[in-house]
């Protein structure tokens, strides 16, 4: 504690050597100390000080009074060493180098530090929030509260100016803290900070609005309205003026219960298991990352460290803590399953929930999206080391999106411009040569180290009776030292606490591992340590456990127990499901596997580092056979999904395939790399509808084009029916990408191959696709021929789903040609078939068309009802392309019913969504659409139209849907 503490904010207080100064000081002596302490940056002429405090006295008398005040001050606070006051015959100055503390200086330093600190926004910077909290705590009241010199106008003028300056700074600090609490949805804290502003300035209207919003958001709407009324009365009495328009508008929103909640902090594509266990011992790293993430200069940070050091866990924790500093939050992109650099843009696009069009140029499209939307976001790219050659791509992302910040995890530096490496070291370890001698002190000292805390936490999870004691603490410390503080190594060791005491564990480590010399010499030291640790864990497994552990490496992104039993449990060593359960439980207990429960499904995953190690343990002689069994299992799964994706189980199976996408990719990759063209083609064909429905158009098309190229090799052949399935699938993907020339070519060849094979369903499917293509280019006569042939054939073979799809095409054709009666007939028949099968996506599409007919016939209420029903279905299915269509349809109804401003807002929202997912409107619809836009624009003045359109464009997807549905 400082020798002298001076408090001037609020009542005047002086503390010397921890005790309050009780000497009665003259008011002018107090004023002298306050002035010198605050204006301590320079010496002050004594005659100026005398004139400041004793302006009515003659010069000699004023200087004499000053000498008496200085003497009294020295008597009260002492000399100090160094002295508190620097006095010369001509000047007086407070000594900044003395052992003192001044609340005004501390307050001002905290405020100034926030103003000079580089951050994104003050209210989102944790370091500045802590400074502001410190400042408002110091602000006990106004400067020299209750203190007044009636005969010193100059001093009072100085005090008033300083008082007002400090009060403004305190109010600004409280305002920022209230905004900080608002972002965190801490409405009690927000209200408290706002009311403190009002205590300082009762007429501060922005603070009044903060109180109103905080009360309304915390469910106290009546209190919010009462606060408004009380403020109105105060304004009338004090100023004879009404509230500002913004305050009145806020009151109206609260009165109608229409005040929107602050948008939640978005964590996109966030791992469900991100915080299953606590992050221990990384407080310093989190603080450093927080500072870097706030700095405008740091745009690419790479967490670098060996496998198992905890890079991913640290990145997730830092991103979660700082997500609210970014307007669009944070997005997590796992690259562990991405095998080639070309797939990186697709993986990022998938995590951002945007759809790229076309089979190529995915990076260019992603960059265009970033340039157009300008997101302010933290993008976490995990496991980048195996894609290091693609590092320049990250620079392109940052150039395209100025508001983007990248947090990358890798085992090595990316070595690109602008990279800020952030080494992630092992956890701190004690020095066993320098320990306290007292047993209790030793326990407390060692237990404070994060590596030991981590071991104890995970050991207790494995064995609830585990505790650090005076008897085992040094052994646990030795274990952590031998494991070099690597979190994964410590967790793997601690998982055995249910079977091994720390002493037995240490004995096994001493016998099995020699971290610095026994690892492979061509690997980094830390990687050697982890490999040895995994070797040790591996040697603890029995023969059956080792076999299953190695086989589990084939699964990418996790798997179900059913998949494990089907693929791994066919060997002599593993014969029963009961044994399978026991083996899985054993691997789970030893932290070599992780289990995740989601609804009614259990999935098993491996950390990527462990999976790589396990793959090395899979014998090459067995690997090929296991990969084949893996591919065939997921081929069966994909083929089983085909019928489910057009049934009432549609959503369930879409989600199931999405979870298994890593395994499906692995199966496709193996099949293509091994020359298994038939497996690759069948798997691609079975997944085509999934890729279409979930928006994986570019990736799906790339896989299928590779399969087709392999099948075209002279040494490889496909039976015509399989080739037809592959070509028809490619036609569908190209069609939904609006690549109509390619789609027509694929469908034409698919038709030829299907006819060659005598595959009637393949023929009908290709004819349906060609009918849609002919309609798109305006050849209605040929379109009718193709579609009628497809319908007749699909009916003949009893394929109700394909019949319903072709009926949609025929209905559209009839509608285009003005035959609404026939169109209605076709659509209604299609709808009945779809509802019978349970395909809700195409049900929504038919509803689009039925709603449009009702709209064309002037039945706007029915049109609105139908389009609303379709929008609800599309929202449940997550079909963004069809959501955009629904918004456009409802915009048309709004325009027809005399609500042009609502129509303009819906148009803006729909256009923004189409832009994001790269799903432009077809040429056939564009002319009518542009004519409608012109009509809406003509119904409003240009400013109103532009504002409504911009408001719709700026809406988040969920807000746009809610706005469209909230229509009486």
């Amino acid at each position: 504690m400082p020798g002298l503490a001076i408090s001037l904010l609020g009542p005047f207080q002086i503390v010397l050597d921890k005790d309050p100064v009780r000497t009665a000081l003259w008011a002018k002596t107090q004023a002298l100390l306050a002035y010198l302490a605050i204006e301590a940056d320079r010496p002050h002429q004594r005659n100026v000080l005398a004139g400041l405090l004793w302006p009515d006295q003659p010069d000699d008398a004023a200087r004499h009074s000053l000498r008496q005040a200085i003497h009294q001050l020295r008597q009260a606070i002492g000399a100090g060493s160094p002295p508190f006051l620097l006095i010369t015959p001509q000047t007086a100055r407070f000594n900044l180098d003395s052992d003192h503390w001044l609340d005004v200086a501390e307050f001002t330093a905290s405020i100034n530090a926030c103003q000079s600190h580089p951050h994104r926004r003050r209210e989102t910077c944790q370091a500045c929030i802590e400074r502001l909290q410190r400042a408002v705590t110091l602000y006990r009241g106004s400067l020299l509260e209750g203190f007044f010199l009636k005969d010193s106008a100059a001093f009072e003028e100085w005090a008033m100016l300083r008082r007002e300056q400090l009060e403004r700074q305190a109010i600004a600090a409280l305002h920022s803290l209230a905004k900080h609490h608002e972002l965190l949805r801490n409405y009690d804290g927000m209200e408290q900070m706002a009311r403190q502003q009002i205590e300082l300035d009762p007429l501060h209207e922005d603070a009044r609005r903060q109180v109103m919003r905080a009360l309304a958001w915390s469910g106290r709407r009546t209190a919010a309205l009462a606060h408004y009324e009380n403020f109105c009365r105060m304004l009338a009495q004090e100023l004879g003026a009404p509230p500002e328009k913004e305050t009145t508008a806020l009151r109206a929103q609260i009165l109608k219960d229409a005040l929107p909640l602050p948008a939640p902090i978005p964590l996109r594509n966030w791992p469900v298991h991100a915080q299953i266990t606590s992050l221990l011992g990384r407080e310093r790293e989190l603080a450093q990352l927080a500072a870097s993430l706030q700095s405008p200069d740091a745009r690419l940070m790479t967490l670098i460290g060996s496998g198992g050091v905890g890079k991913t866990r640290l990145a997730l924790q830092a991103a979660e803590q700082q997500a609210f500093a970014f307007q669009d939050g944070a997005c997590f992109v796992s690259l562990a399953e991405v095998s080639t650099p070309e797939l990186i843009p697709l993986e990022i696009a998938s995590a951002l929930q945007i759809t790229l069009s076309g089979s190529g140029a995915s990076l260019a499209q992603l960059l265009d999206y970033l340039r157009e939307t300008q997101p302010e976001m933290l993008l976490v790219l995990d496991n980048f080391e195996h894609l290091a050659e693609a590092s320049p791509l990250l620079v392109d992302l940052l150039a395209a999106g100025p508001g983007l910040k990248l947090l990358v995890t890798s085992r090595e530096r990316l070595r690109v411009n602008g990279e800020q490496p952030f080494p992630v070291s092992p956890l701190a370890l004690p020095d066993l040569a320098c320990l306290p001698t007292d047993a209790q002190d030793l326990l407390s000292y060692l237990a404070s180290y994060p590596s030991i805390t981590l071991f104890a936490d995970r050991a207790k999870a494995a064995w609830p009776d585990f505790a650090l004691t005076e008897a085992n603490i040094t052994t646990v410390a030795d274990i952590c030292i031998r494991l070099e503080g690597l979190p994964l190594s410590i967790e793997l060791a601690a998982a055995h606490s249910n079977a091994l005491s720390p002493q037995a564990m240490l004995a096994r480590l001493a016998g099995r591992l020699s971290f610095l010399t026994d690892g492979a010499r061509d690997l980094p030291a830390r990687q050697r340590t982890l490999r040895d640790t995994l070797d040790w864990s591996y040697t603890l497994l029995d023969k059956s456990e080792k076999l299953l552990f190695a086989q589990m490496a084939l699964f990418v992104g996790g798997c179900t127990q059913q998949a494990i039993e089907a693929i791994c449990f066919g060997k002599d060593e593993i014969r029963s499901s009961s044994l399978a359960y026991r083996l899985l439980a054993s691997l789970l207990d030893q932290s070599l596997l992780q289990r995740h429960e989601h609804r009614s499904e259990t999935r098993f995953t491996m950390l990527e580092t462990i999976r790589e190690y396990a793959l090395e343990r899979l014998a090459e002689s067995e690997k090929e056979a296991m990969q084949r069994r893996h591919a065939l299992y997921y081929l069966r799964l994909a083929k089983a999904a085909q019928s489910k994706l057009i049934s009432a189980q549609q959503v369930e199976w879409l989600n199931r395939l999405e979870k298994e996408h890593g395994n499906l990719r692995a199966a496709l990759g193996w099949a293509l790399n091994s020359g298994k063209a038939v497996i690759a083609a069948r798997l691609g064909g079975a997944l085509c509808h999934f890729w279409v429905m979930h928006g994986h158009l570019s990736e799906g098309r790339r896989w299928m084009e590779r399969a087709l190229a392999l099948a075209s090799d002279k040494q490889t052949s496909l039976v015509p029916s399989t080739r037809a399935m592959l070509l028809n699938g490619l036609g569908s993907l190209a069609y939904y990408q609006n690549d109509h020339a390619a789609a027509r070519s694929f469908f034409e060849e698919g038709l030829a191959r299907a006819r060659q094979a005598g595959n009637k369903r393949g023929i009908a499917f290709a004819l349906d696709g060609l009918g849609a293509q002919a309609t798109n280019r305006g050849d209605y006569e040929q379109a009718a021929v193709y579609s009628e042939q497809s319908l007749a054939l699909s009916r003949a073979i009893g394929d109700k789903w394909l019949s319903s799809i072709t009926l949609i095409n025929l209905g559209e054709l009839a509608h285009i040609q003005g035959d609404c009666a026939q169109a209605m007939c076709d659509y209604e028949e299609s709808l009945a078939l779809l509802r019978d099968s349970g395909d809700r996506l195409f049900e929504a599409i038919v509803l689009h068309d039925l709603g449009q007919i009702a709209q064309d016939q002037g039945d706007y209420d029915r049109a609105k009802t139908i389009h609303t029903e379709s929008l609800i279905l599309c929202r449940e299915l997550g079909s963004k392309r069809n959501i955009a269509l629904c918004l456009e349809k409802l915009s048309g109804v709004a325009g027809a019913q005399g609500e042009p401003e609502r129509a303009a807002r819906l148009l803006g929202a729909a256009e923004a969504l189409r832009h994001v997912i790269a799903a432009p409107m077809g040429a056939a619809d564009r002319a009518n659409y542009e004519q409608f836009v012109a009509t809406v624009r003509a119904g409003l003045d240009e400013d109103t139209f532009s504002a409504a359109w911009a408001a719709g464009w700026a809406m988040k997807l969920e807000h746009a849907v809610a706005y469209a549905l909230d229509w009486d």
Side-chain angles (χ1 to χ4, degrees):
M1 183 168 179
L4 177 66
I6 307 170
S7 299
L8 303 177
L9 296 172
F12 193 106
Q13 292 180 1
I14 306 175
V15 174
L16 182 65
D17 296 330
K18 301 182 182 180
D19 293 323
V21 172
R22 303 191 184 281
T23 305
L25 297 176
W26 299 338
K28 299 228 174 150
T29 302
Q30 296 178 38
L32 176 64
L33 176 61
Y35 186 85
L36 291 176
I38 292 175
E39 305 291 345
D41 58 334
R42 66 192 187 280
H44 299 275
Q45 294 295 319
R46 293 178 67 155
N47 62 337
V48 173
L49 293 173
L52 177 72
L53 295 171
W54 292 273
D56 296 331
Q57 293 184 9
D59 291 346
D60 288 343
R63 285 194 292 270
H64 176 72
S65 295
L66 176 62
R67 285 194 296 272
Q68 287 183 307
I70 292 174
H71 176 74
Q72 186 184 46
L73 194 53
R74 281 174 161 171
Q75 290 293 316
I77 65 175
S81 180
F84 298 121
L85 298 176
L86 300 175
I87 307 297
T88 72
Q90 291 79 33
T91 64
R93 181 179 187 178
F94 194 91
N95 187 4
L96 290 175
D97 295 327
S98 64
D99 182 19
H100 78 285
W101 176 88
L102 175 67
D103 61 352
V104 174
E106 188 83 5
F107 173 91
T108 304
S110 296
I111 297 295
N112 291 341
C114 292
Q115 293 172 344
S116 62
H117 182 248
H119 48 228
R120 303 182 65 82
R121 287 186 292 275
R122 187 159 74 166
E123 59 268 19
T124 65
C125 176
Q126 188 58 40
C128 286
I129 289 300
E130 291 173 2
R131 295 185 184 107
L132 295 177
Q133 288 171 338
R134 170 66 174 158
V136 299
T137 301
L138 289 168
Y139 198 87
R140 299 177 299 120
S142 60
L143 178 67
L144 296 172
E145 187 172 276
F147 186 91
F148 180 72
L149 294 182
K150 63 179 179 180
D151 60 349
S152 181
F155 177 86
E156 283 301 320
E157 182 180 0
W158 168 83
M160 180 186 69
L161 292 174
R162 281 290 190 175
R163 187 177 295 123
E164 290 176 353
Q165 178 190 29
L166 293 167
E167 184 176 272
R168 286 195 301 271
Q169 290 177 326
I171 290 174
L174 288 164
H175 188 73
S176 292
L177 289 171
K179 291 174 68 176
H180 173 75
H181 288 300
E182 178 182 346
L183 288 171
L184 297 180
R185 294 192 164 194
N186 177 12
Y187 303 132
D188 289 341
M190 178 186 176
E191 180 190 355
Q192 180 185 355
M193 294 298 103
R195 288 193 183 277
Q196 287 186 41
Q197 295 174 64
I198 294 170
E199 288 177 10
L200 298 178
D201 181 5
L203 297 178
H204 194 314
E205 198 149 349
D206 202 2
R208 295 283 184 175
R209 289 192 289 268
Q210 285 184 328
V211 170
M212 291 170 64
R213 286 194 293 270
L215 290 170
W217 284 333
S218 59
R220 294 175 286 169
R221 194 161 63 98
T222 302
L225 295 172
H227 188 82
Y228 171 85
E229 298 299 336
N230 291 336
F231 180 56
C232 288
R233 283 192 291 271
M234 176 184 289
L235 283 176
Q237 293 170 1
E238 297 286 335
L239 303 177
E244 294 173 358
K245 291 182 179 179
E246 187 177 349
T247 310
T248 305
L250 176 59
R251 183 253 185 191
Q253 281 185 306
I254 296 172
L255 189 62
K256 295 177 182 178
D257 201 15
L259 179 64
L261 282 169
I265 301 165
L267 293 173
R268 306 190 191 189
N269 202 44
W270 221 246
V272 176
H273 57 282
Q275 287 190 344
I276 288 179
T277 56
S278 55
L279 180 64
L280 300 172
R282 295 297 190 187
E283 292 78 10
R284 179 181 59 84
E285 290 89 340
L286 285 171
Q288 292 173 343
L289 279 173
S292 296
L293 291 171
Q294 282 288 340
S295 172
D297 297 327
R299 299 200 53 212
L300 171 57
M301 285 155 289
T302 311
L303 302 188
I304 303 168
S306 62
V309 80
K311 302 183 295 295
T312 299
R313 185 67 181 83
L314 179 60
L316 284 168
Q317 185 79 7
E320 287 186 25
Q321 289 182 357
Q322 294 298 313
F324 77 112
F326 298 80
Q327 183 176 330
D328 297 302
C331 181
F332 181 81
V333 184
S334 174
L335 300 175
E337 301 172 19
V338 174
S339 55
T340 62
E342 292 79 15
L343 290 175
I344 295 176
L346 294 173
E347 201 67 19
I348 295 174
S350 176
L352 292 173
Q353 296 183 330
I354 61 175
T355 303
L356 306 181
S357 62
S359 61
S362 54
L363 175 59
Q365 293 178 61
L366 179 59
L367 296 178
D368 286 342
Y369 165 79
L370 294 174
R371 292 187 191 99
E372 291 293 329
T373 60
Q374 294 292 293
E376 183 182 309
M377 178 184 293
L378 174 61
L379 199 59
V380 182
L381 303 179
D382 191 42
N383 286 104
F384 205 91
E385 56 271 355
H386 62 296
L387 301 165
E389 63 184 282
S391 296
L393 174 153
L394 304 184
V395 180
D396 295 335
L397 294 178
L398 293 172
L404 201 64
K405 193 173 288 255
L406 302 183
L407 184 60
V408 183
T409 71
S410 175
R411 296 185 192 178
E412 60 186 62
R413 289 187 59 176
L414 305 179
R415 303 188 185 280
V416 294
N417 291 330
E419 179 189 20
Q420 293 197 5
F422 190 99
V424 181
S425 303
L427 297 173
L429 295 165
D431 183 357
L432 296 185
C434 304
L435 296 176
T437 54
D438 179 80
Q440 187 59 47
D441 290 342
L442 176 65
L443 177 61
S444 299
Y445 171 74
L446 290 178
S448 68
Y449 275 83
S451 53
I452 296 173
T453 302
L454 176 64
F455 182 95
D457 183 82
R458 302 309 191 251
K460 192 170 183 64
W463 182 40
D465 291 338
F466 179 86
L468 293 174
T469 65
E470 295 176 5
N472 67 20
I473 187 66
T474 54
T475 305
V476 172
D478 203 355
I479 290 172
C480 293
I481 290 170
R482 288 173 181 268
L483 297 177
E484 292 194 336
L486 284 167
L488 178 58
S489 302
I490 292 171
E491 293 194 14
L492 289 170
H496 295 287
S497 296
N498 60 339
L500 299 173
S501 68
Q503 290 75 15
M505 196 180 298
L506 182 61
R508 286 181 178 249
L509 282 171
R512 303 276 180 170
L513 298 172
S514 180
F515 292 2
L516 299 178
T517 59
D518 289 353
R521 296 184 181 276
D522 61 339
L523 293 172
R526 290 178 185 170
Q527 191 170 345
R528 260 181 268 152
T529 301
L530 179 61
R531 183 180 295 276
D532 284 345
T533 304
L534 290 169
D535 281 341
W536 169 68
S537 293
Y538 184 73
T539 60
L540 294 177
L541 304 176
D542 64 26
K543 186 177 181 181
S544 296
E545 290 170 342
K546 287 179 178 178
L547 177 59
L548 178 58
F549 173 68
Q551 291 173 338
M552 287 292 295
L554 293 174
F555 296 100
V556 180
C559 60
T560 63
Q561 183 167 334
Q562 181 183 8
I564 296 170
E565 291 178 2
I567 298 170
C568 304
F569 285 38
K571 297 291 182 180
D572 292 340
E573 296 92 338
I574 305 171
R575 293 188 294 271
S576 69
S577 292
S578 60
L579 182 57
Y581 181 81
R582 181 186 69 77
L583 296 177
L584 285 171
S586 178
L587 295 179
L588 285 167
D589 288 342
Q590 298 178 72
S591 295
L592 294 172
L593 281 184
Q594 294 178 324
R595 179 173 58 201
H596 308 295
E597 302 286 345
H598 183 64
R599 295 179 182 172
S600 59
E601 183 182 77
T602 300
R603 289 185 69 80
F604 298 89
T605 62
M606 273 183 168
L607 293 174
E608 188 60 24
T609 302
I610 296 178
R611 194 179 76 84
E612 292 175 8
Y613 176 89
L615 196 59
E616 294 176 2
R617 295 293 172 178
L618 189 62
E620 286 299 323
S621 58
E622 184 184 21
K623 187 175 180 180
E624 178 68 19
M626 288 298 300
Q627 286 178 315
R628 180 180 179 84
R629 289 166 63 181
H630 177 275
L632 291 177
Y633 174 84
Y634 284 102
L635 172 59
R636 289 193 296 272
L637 178 70
K639 291 182 73 65
Q642 281 184 288
S643 62
K644 305 297 184 182
L645 291 179
I646 56 175
S647 73
Q649 297 172 279
Q650 187 177 63
V651 175
E652 174 190 342
W653 277 81
L654 280 171
N655 292 335
R656 183 171 180 181
L657 290 180
E658 194 64 61
K659 290 177 187 174
E660 299 292 1
H661 211 172
N663 284 311
L664 294 165
R665 286 166 169 162
L668 278 164
W670 171 81
L672 291 167
N673 294 334
S674 303
K676 313 297 184 186
V678 175
I679 294 176
R682 289 179 176 173
L683 186 52
L687 290 173
C688 177
H689 199 48
F690 159 69
W691 284 327
V692 167
M693 297 178 77
H694 258 207
H696 302 295
L697 303 177
S698 297
E699 180 180 355
R701 188 170 171 185
R702 183 174 286 115
W703 284 119
M704 295 184 77
E705 285 176 342
R706 286 183 63 189
L708 185 63
L710 179 62
S712 300
D713 189 282
K714 293 181 180 179
Q715 298 179 358
T716 308
S717 62
L718 293 176
V719 296
S721 60
T722 301
R723 187 178 289 272
M725 177 181 64
L726 191 60
L727 289 162
N728 285 340
L730 278 166
S732 294
L733 291 165
Y735 171 78
Y736 284 105
Q737 292 177 316
N738 287 323
D739 189 354
H740 297 297
R744 184 166 62 254
S745 175
F746 286 133
F747 281 131
E748 286 174 347
E749 188 177 352
L751 177 61
R753 296 294 185 178
R755 283 174 170 163
Q756 181 183 353
N759 185 329
K760 293 182 179 180
R761 191 182 191 280
I763 295 170
F765 193 95
L767 287 169
D768 174 74
L770 288 169
Q773 292 300 316
T775 300
N776 182 72
R777 67 175 186 266
D779 189 351
Y780 303 138
E781 183 177 347
Q782 186 60 57
V785 171
Y786 282 137
S787 296
E788 291 289 358
Q789 290 177 354
S790 175
L791 180 60
L793 190 52
S794 61
R795 282 175 169 165
I797 61 176
D799 193 322
K800 294 182 180 180
W801 181 82
L802 188 51
S803 297
S804 68
I805 303 307
T806 307
L807 281 164
I808 296 175
N809 289 342
L810 285 168
E812 181 181 358
L813 189 58
H815 191 193
I816 291 172
Q817 294 178 307
D819 190 349
C820 288
Q822 183 59 49
M824 286 283 290
C825 181
D826 291 335
Y827 289 147
E828 293 287 0
E829 185 180 355
S830 175
L831 186 62
L833 291 172
L834 289 166
R835 284 176 171 166
D836 184 55
S837 68
D839 189 330
R840 305 182 75 193
L841 179 64
F842 276 96
E843 178 185 344
I845 293 172
V846 175
L847 288 171
H848 290 321
D849 298 321
L850 285 170
Q852 186 61 53
I853 289 179
Q855 189 172 335
D856 292 345
Q857 293 175 340
D859 191 348
Y860 301 120
D861 288 339
R862 183 168 183 269
K864 187 170 88 170
T865 299
I866 294 174
H867 290 320
T868 298
E869 183 182 354
S870 180
L871 178 57
I872 291 171
L873 280 175
C874 294
R875 178 180 62 180
E876 292 174 358
L877 292 164
S879 177
K880 295 179 181 178
R881 178 177 178 273
N882 287 294
I883 288 174
L885 186 55
C886 286
L887 296 177
E888 289 159 358
K889 300 293 188 185
L890 286 168
S891 172
V893 174
Q897 291 189 321
E899 297 188 43
E901 190 170 347
R902 183 179 187 85
R905 185 173 294 217
L906 289 170
L907 285 173
E911 190 76 16
L913 183 53
R914 282 190 179 275
H915 180 79
V916 166
I917 64 175
M921 193 175 292
D925 298 322
R926 175 58 63 176
N928 291 335
Y929 171 78
E930 291 177 351
Q931 182 179 352
F932 173 64
V933 172
T935 301
V936 173
R937 187 187 294 270
L940 298 166
D941 62 79
E942 187 58 35
D943 288 345
T944 302
F945 175 83
S946 298
W949 182 284
W953 182 279
M955 281 183 176
K956 302 293 185 185
L957 175 60
E958 60 272 21
H959 296 156
V961 172
Y963 176 76
L965 295 175
D966 184 19
W967 187 7
D968 295 332

